[in-house]
Amino acid sequence: MAKILVAGEIPEKGLEMLLEDHEVEVFTGEKLITETELKERIQDKDALLSLLSTPVSKEVIDQAPHLKIIANYGAGFNNIDFEHAASKGIPTTNTPIASTAATADLTIALLLAAARRVAEGDEVCRTVGFNGWAPLYFRGREVTGKTIGVVGFGQIGQAVAKRAAAFDMKVLYTGPNRKSPQVEQSLNATYVSFDELVAESDFITINCAYNPTMKHMFSTKQFEMMKPTAYLINCARGPIVDEAALIAALEGNQIEGAGIDVFEFEPEISDGLKKLKSVVLTPHIGNATYEARDAMAIMAAGNIVKILKGEAPSYVINGVKKETILV
């Protein structure tokens, strides 16, 4: 019977799959599992189901001589030293696709909430109240007919563009590769340079995958290039945005607002962001729906089950093929 470590509580649908034929240990601490505890627990395990918040370092991997797979519960995988895992013949998988609709939905939700000052209005209604309708009171920005710039035009970015079409928005996008004419036509999207997108967009949404070269892609220079009425929405990864520069840009009215779901020093949130009424904040809930989280659990658990049956897993991100797995 294979031994599996699950680094945090996940939906039952995933656990049920693992418990059918294997011995499963689930970390249930109030705080995230520490590296020290992970090293201790993983030593005799055949599989690890890690969470996006679980750092799986070289040192952790080296403590697991029997490890046959690291199945990450999340579309991202920058929490894992997947290259070191590959060097030891350990495939690393993620859970793409499952997050697409939920993350695109939240991107648009933050965009609308920031533009129409929803969170700010909610606070007013719950505290000081208001005196009634007035022509100059609580004005925000219309979304309809505006230009949205999508940074990263993979599955999530394209799903954002589909939703933007409902608001008759002009869609610009940028990324390492231009999409086919068919994709552009179907989404009424125009490929532009990063700088052009930054300068021309009324709303910029960050929906790209992360790698270290993208750190501070949005910093002082970019905020100076943006329209003073522009909004920045980040549902990708926190380090893409220089938080200190964002706070300065908002305080100095270089841009009008922001919607932020991920943070540079997560789980810490800069005090400057918390104090700004022009920012809508959510606690990294891009794919936090019952539907998405169940699907992710099934995908991660399913990959572990496949490996332990001698089958090839899906969504391997570090190039390790079944026939090269070291067992």
Side-chain angles (χ1 to χ4, degrees):
M1 183 179 288
K3 294 183 178 182
I4 302 167
L5 174 62
V6 180
E9 295 180 276
I10 64 171
E12 283 295 323
K13 290 186 177 182
L15 282 178
E16 289 169 1
M17 294 173 65
L18 299 176
L19 286 165
E20 283 185 11
D21 298 300
H22 308 294
E23 181 181 323
V24 181
E25 178 183 340
V26 181
F27 177 75
T28 58
E30 290 185 7
K31 295 184 178 181
L32 300 175
I33 191 168
T34 64
E35 183 174 49
T36 299
E37 193 155 16
L38 188 56
K39 286 179 181 178
E40 292 174 356
R41 291 174 181 250
I42 204 172
Q43 292 179 19
D44 62 342
K45 300 302 187 293
D46 299 286
L48 169 65
L49 196 156
S50 55
L51 309 186
L52 188 62
S53 53
T54 309
V56 185
S57 64
K58 175 182 182 294
E59 291 73 23
V60 168
I61 294 167
D62 286 342
Q63 290 295 312
H66 308 293
L67 199 62
K68 298 175 179 66
I69 183 172
I70 302 169
N72 209 39
Y73 186 100
F77 42 84
N78 56 299
N79 57 308
I80 299 171
D81 190 338
F82 55 86
E83 292 181 348
H84 184 64
S87 74
K88 303 193 76 169
I90 303 169
T92 300
T93 65
N94 67 336
T95 58
I97 303 174
S99 301
T100 299
T103 307
D105 286 351
L106 185 69
T107 296
I108 296 298
L110 285 173
L111 188 155
L112 290 167
R116 294 305 306 273
R117 303 171 65 183
V118 172
E120 190 180 352
D122 180 84
E123 183 183 7
V124 166
C125 289
R126 294 174 189 274
T127 54
V128 298
F130 67 109
N131 295 324
W133 184 93
L136 302 183
Y137 183 63
F138 238 92
R139 290 179 294 178
R141 296 287 173 185
E142 287 192 12
V143 172
T144 300
K146 298 294 175 62
T147 297
I148 183 171
V150 184
V151 179
F153 214 57
Q155 292 169 345
I156 295 173
Q158 291 179 42
V160 169
K162 288 179 182 178
R163 287 153 177 74
F167 297 95
D168 295 321
M169 301 185 84
K170 176 183 178 182
V171 179
L172 305 178
Y173 78 95
T174 194
N177 301 299
R178 183 171 183 173
K179 302 304 178 183
S180 69
Q182 292 81 6
V183 169
E184 290 186 346
Q185 185 175 5
S186 69
L187 297 172
N188 195 27
T190 302
Y191 182 77
V192 295
S193 69
F194 176 66
D195 285 352
E196 188 175 352
L197 181 144
V198 169
E200 293 191 9
S201 299
D202 298 299
F203 299 92
I204 298 174
T205 72
I206 306 174
N207 301 109
C208 52
Y210 179 73
N211 66 65
T213 66
M214 301 170 71
K215 183 175 181 179
H216 291 183
M217 176 187 286
F218 283 87
S219 193
T220 302
K221 176 184 175 182
Q222 287 70 40
F223 297 127
E224 290 174 348
M225 292 169 60
M226 289 170 65
K227 296 179 180 180
T229 55
Y231 289 74
L232 180 72
I233 313 298
N234 188 10
C235 286
R237 288 292 177 268
I240 294 173
V241 177
D242 180 343
E243 277 187 14
L246 173 61
I247 292 165
L250 289 162
E251 290 177 341
N253 297 317
Q254 285 181 315
I255 64 172
E256 197 160 85
I260 306 295
D261 184 53
V262 290
F263 305 91
E264 183 174 1
F265 309 106
E266 195 168 313
E268 299 300 321
I269 302 173
S270 300
D271 287 338
L273 285 179
K274 296 178 186 179
K275 295 174 183 177
L276 287 163
K277 294 185 181 297
S278 55
V279 181
V280 179
L281 305 174
T282 50
H284 200 152
I285 58 172
N287 57 25
T289 63
Y290 288 101
E291 297 87 350
R293 294 287 170 88
D294 279 352
M296 292 165 67
I298 291 168
M299 291 170 75
N303 278 328
I304 290 175
V305 170
K306 286 179 181 177
I307 279 287
L308 296 178
K309 285 183 176 180
E311 300 172 3
S314 303
Y315 310 115
V316 177
I317 56 90
N318 63 345
V320 179
K321 300 184 184 298
K322 183 176 81 71
E323 56 267 25
T324 63
I325 295 172
L326 304 178
V327 294

